[in-house]
Amino acid sequence: SQTIHQWPATLVQPVGSPLSLECTVEGTSNPNLYWYRQAAGRGLQLLFYSVGIGQISSEVPQNLSASRPQDRQFILSSKKLLLSDSGFYLCAWSVNSYGYTFGSGTRLTVV
Amino acid sequence: QKEVEQNSGPLSVPEGAIASLNCTYSDRGSQSFFWYRQYSGKSPELIMFIYSNGDKEDGRFTAQLNKASQYVSLLIRDSQPSDSATYLCAVNYGQGAQKLVFGQGTRLTINP
């Protein structure tokens, strides 16, 4: 069966520090991969998606970037975090038209 | 701008009653629609998807789609306290790869 792993579960980082969040998927090949952010009291915002290795589409201009170095690995990064980057970061995957499966999420607090 | 609108609630329903959650979307060309449930502090989980006009039933859940009115709804029959959560409506706006746009969610509370 397919599983998605996301870590860490929680993270507290100072303003201006770098960020790296990792997501891996098991049990499937060539998934579409997504990064969403859910700010406190707000809806899910699509940040990046990828349909294959090295293929990244950005939905929202910001100080975040994404990379897909392997078929089942998706990384979200920042060189310098802002206070506004705080939120619940969710990785998701899909291989067909039947919706996404989300990872357990990373709760990021920038202080 | 592709939008998905939901009443944020909170919606309070007595145990055993029917909970009705509604969603409207802006793009008439959208083809697939999803309902997710999100418990506090957890990630969303897929409950149902619907592509065709009409009703789709899965256990206590029924999704309803009316493309002419650009309206999607979720009915929960025999509501249980464990159904208390935020329900997210999502619409696929992608061409090729899925790209789901989510509503703000409706917070549902089932009162014992």
Side-chain angles (χ1 to χ4, degrees), chain A residues 34 36 38 43 97 100 103, chain B residues 34 36 38 43 51 98 100 104:
Chain A
Y34 306 83
Y36 278 81
Q38 189 174 38
S97 301
Y100 300 162
Chain B
F34 305 84
Y36 283 80
Q38 186 175 24
S43 60
Y51 296 166
Q98 278 195 109
L100 298 190
Q104 296 280 76

Side-chain angles (χ1 to χ4, degrees), chain A residues 62-80:
Chain A
Q62 60 218 327
N63 68 321
L64 299 172
S65 62
S67 62
R68 184 170 178 174
Q70 301 180 44
D71 180 46
R72 287 171 282 183
Q73 184 185 29
F74 204 23
I75 298 171
L76 182 70
S77 303
S78 174
K79 292 182 179 178
K80 290 185 177 182

Side-chain angles (χ1 to χ4, degrees), chain A residues 2-24:
Chain A
Q2 302 93 345
T3 56
I4 178 169
H5 302 280
Q6 198 178 338
W7 66 92
T10 59
L11 193 59
V12 179
Q13 293 285 94
V15 169
S17 64
L19 173 74
S20 181
L21 301 180
E22 189 166 340
C23 169
T24 59

Side-chain angles (χ1 to χ4, degrees), chain A residues 37-99:
Chain A
R37 176 172 61 200
Q38 189 174 38
R42 301 186 64 180
L44 286 159
Q45 179 186 35
L46 178 61
L47 302 176
F48 301 94
Y49 71 95
S50 172
V51 299
I53 296 173
Q55 300 179 58
I56 307 295
S57 296
S58 173
E59 291 293 303
V60 181
Q62 60 218 327
N63 68 321
L64 299 172
S65 62
S67 62
R68 184 170 178 174
Q70 301 180 44
D71 180 46
R72 287 171 282 183
Q73 184 185 29
F74 204 23
I75 298 171
L76 182 70
S77 303
S78 174
K79 292 182 179 178
K80 290 185 177 182
L81 284 168
L82 306 173
L83 286 174
S84 57
D85 291 325
S86 293
F88 191 35
Y89 287 81
L90 291 156
C91 180
W93 70 273
S94 72
V95 293
N96 50 37
S97 301
Y98 303 129

Side-chain angles (χ1 to χ4, degrees), chain B residues 48-69:
Chain B
M48 294 190 70
F49 60 88
I50 186 167
Y51 296 166
S52 303
N53 277 327
D55 294 359
K56 179 181 178 182
E57 187 174 317
D58 184 0
R60 295 187 297 113
F61 298 95
T62 299
Q64 299 175 316
L65 174 60
N66 184 326
K67 290 186 179 180
S69 300

